[in-house]
Amino acid sequence: MLQCDVLEDGDLLRRAPSLDDPYPVYAAIRRRAEWLVRDEASDCLVVARAAAVDAVLQDPAFATPPAADVLAAPVGADLLDGFYAKLVRWREDPRAQAVRRRLVFPLREATGLRGRQRIAAVADRLGEPLSAQPSAEAVETFCRRLPTAALTHLMGVPGAEAAALAEPIARLCAPLSPHAPAQPIEALERSYETLTGVLSHHIGFLDDDVGAAAPGVGADDLLANLVGLCLQAQEATEGLTLNCLAHHLAGRADGVDLLQFDARSAFVEETDRFDPAIQLTRRIARDGAALRGVPVPEGATVIVALAAANRDPEANPEPDRFDLYRTARRSFAFSGGRHACPGRRLAAAIAEIGFMTILTRCPGVAERIALGGYRPSHNARLPSFEDFA
């Protein structure tokens, strides 16, 4: 049996992303063991130091859990097999690699000048209510709608139509969180049909030669994973945009000219490192999995504390200092290895443009709203705001 320190209050780790300050929790876990600690409540293993997190993310012997184990609510057999189980983020088979490579196609030029102009056009359209009636609710609605609208617009969906796709994406995201309201299976199926219908109508590369890359890979795999890309981008990009605003309200941009591209890009990157939107992820040990030569039992669940690794001084010196001018910045927030997020740069671009849209549409935002806490979540850090009385 694997011998390691025991984390008695595992519930604190599961609640950490929603705490006002989760970083003392992560620091305590890092101090408990150099590589592994066991969460007694869930009987999961936990890695929190940067070296251990990087080792797990890079090693294919630590696989992503299958979709059926990730879902927190029923979705029906048809949607499970026809959508969630097709997503490469939860697959390890060779065909998944072919689909993953092909998914890079619509993202290749997304962070170039033309892509940024299209993101900015969507943000400007969605940001109109911020000028008319700036409020905490308007800001949160804008941040919730922007990731899907921007991403699908980059895929070829017209701006007005892309803006309407945030709600079906939100419904399909709901079964992934134990904190989200339950969704009727019929509503989930309608949402998926809406999204695939719009995307298949506007995207021109679904019928190309992707099937030649590996047997059985075709337009249905691509279409499911384009919707899945929107799901994956939603929480991470929304959270990054909201966290940028939270740290702006906390004064961490004081004295910084955010109209300068390099300054605001550094602000987004340091926010992602200092207080990432995605804080925890999971891997399942396969046969032969080991850490530092110590075998990890097959089937063991490993909680990967991404946010803890970001604050490891061995990865980032003086990790608790927010430093826009940090050199050799390391962030694990978008995972790593074969399951590294292919849209990391795109998410940063959408968050940066969204954040600046809020500041330009609401120049006095710091006098209008304040951080009100963090939404309940098992892995994501999603600020909520409140209006000043």
Side-chain angles (χ1 to χ4, degrees):
M1 180 179 292
L2 180 67
Q3 299 295 317
C4 58
D5 284 356
V6 175
L7 182 67
E8 291 85 4
D9 190 3
D11 184 60
L12 190 60
L13 174 63
R14 287 187 289 277
R15 292 188 291 109
S18 304
L19 298 176
D20 287 343
D21 183 4
Y23 295 98
V25 175
Y26 297 140
I29 296 172
R30 280 199 311 271
R31 289 192 296 267
R32 292 295 299 272
E34 186 172 353
W35 285 88
L36 284 169
V37 63
R38 184 184 297 280
D39 172 11
E40 191 171 50
S42 65
D43 199 30
C44 294
L45 301 173
V46 182
V47 289
R49 290 198 176 188
V53 165
D54 191 45
V56 170
L57 294 177
Q58 297 294 336
D59 190 345
F62 293 95
T64 54
D69 291 349
V70 174
L71 292 166
V75 298
D78 291 344
L79 203 57
L80 175 61
D81 295 337
F83 172 51
Y84 292 100
K86 287 182 178 292
L87 302 186
V88 295
R89 63 189 291 194
W90 300 311
R91 286 169 54 188
E92 301 288 345
D93 58 280
R95 286 187 298 172
Q97 298 303 315
V99 176
R100 187 177 287 110
R101 286 192 297 270
R102 193 65 183 89
L103 280 176
V104 175
F105 179 85
L107 305 178
R108 282 176 182 165
E109 299 181 359
T111 55
L113 177 60
R114 184 166 177 268
R116 289 180 61 86
Q117 289 173 337
R118 299 182 74 180
I119 296 168
V122 171
D124 192 56
R125 176 194 293 270
L126 293 178
E128 290 176 0
L130 296 174
S131 298
Q133 191 175 8
S135 65
E137 182 181 3
V139 166
E140 292 182 13
T141 299
F142 169 78
C143 292
R144 184 176 66 250
R145 297 178 67 193
L146 179 61
T148 294
L151 186 54
T152 53
H153 186 51
L154 289 169
M155 293 178 187
V157 180
E161 200 170 353
L165 298 180
E167 294 310 316
I169 283 292
R171 290 192 203 98
L172 291 174
C173 284
L176 300 174
S177 171
H179 302 284
Q183 298 290 319
I185 291 174
E186 295 80 6
L188 295 172
E189 291 173 341
R190 285 196 303 272
S191 295
Y192 185 61
E193 289 170 3
T194 296
L195 289 158
T196 53
V198 171
L199 292 179
S200 61
H201 179 71
H202 290 291
I203 296 177
F205 63 83
L206 290 173
D207 294 321
D208 69 3
D209 61 352
V210 67
V217 174
D220 58 337
D221 289 289
L222 275 179
L223 196 55
N225 277 281
L226 288 171
V227 175
L229 195 61
C230 294
L231 259 67
Q232 192 166 356
Q234 179 60 41
E235 208 167 46
T237 311
E238 177 187 2
L240 181 54
T241 311
L242 291 167
N243 280 325
C244 285
L245 180 58
H247 289 287
H248 171 73
L249 296 179
R252 292 197 168 91
D254 289 356
V256 178
D257 184 3
L258 292 176
L259 294 177
Q260 298 296 319
F261 175 76
D262 289 346
R264 63 177 182 265
S265 294
F267 186 84
V268 173
E269 290 172 7
E270 181 65 352
T271 298
D272 173 65
R273 197 263 334 155
F274 185 80
D275 195 16
I278 303 302
Q279 304 232 317
L280 305 170
T281 190
R282 286 191 294 162
R283 293 292 187 266
I284 306 298
R286 291 172 155 181
D287 182 32
L291 275 176
R292 226 181 188 185
V294 177
V296 177
E298 182 179 4
T301 296
V302 181
I303 298 174
V304 185
L306 306 170
N310 280 9
R311 295 282 192 107
D312 187 337
E314 293 186 5
N316 293 292
E318 297 184 77
D320 296 325
R321 181 166 62 91
F322 192 94
D323 183 3
L324 266 65
Y325 307 103
R326 184 179 297 277
T327 58
R329 180 184 289 112
R330 293 189 70 189
S331 175
F332 298 90
F334 286 87
S335 195
R338 293 190 302 170
H339 289 279
C341 176
R344 176 175 186 162
R345 291 179 59 195
L346 177 57
I350 295 172
E352 175 230 313
I353 292 169
F355 170 54
M356 290 306 298
T357 300
I358 295 169
L359 297 189
T360 54
R361 289 278 189 177
C362 309
V365 67
E367 287 74 46
R368 293 179 178 273
I369 68 173
L371 179 64
Y374 292 84
R375 299 180 218 164
S377 175
H378 65 298
N379 71 331
R381 190 150 174 81
L382 299 167
S384 61
F385 298 93
E386 57 189 17
D387 297 312
F388 282 123

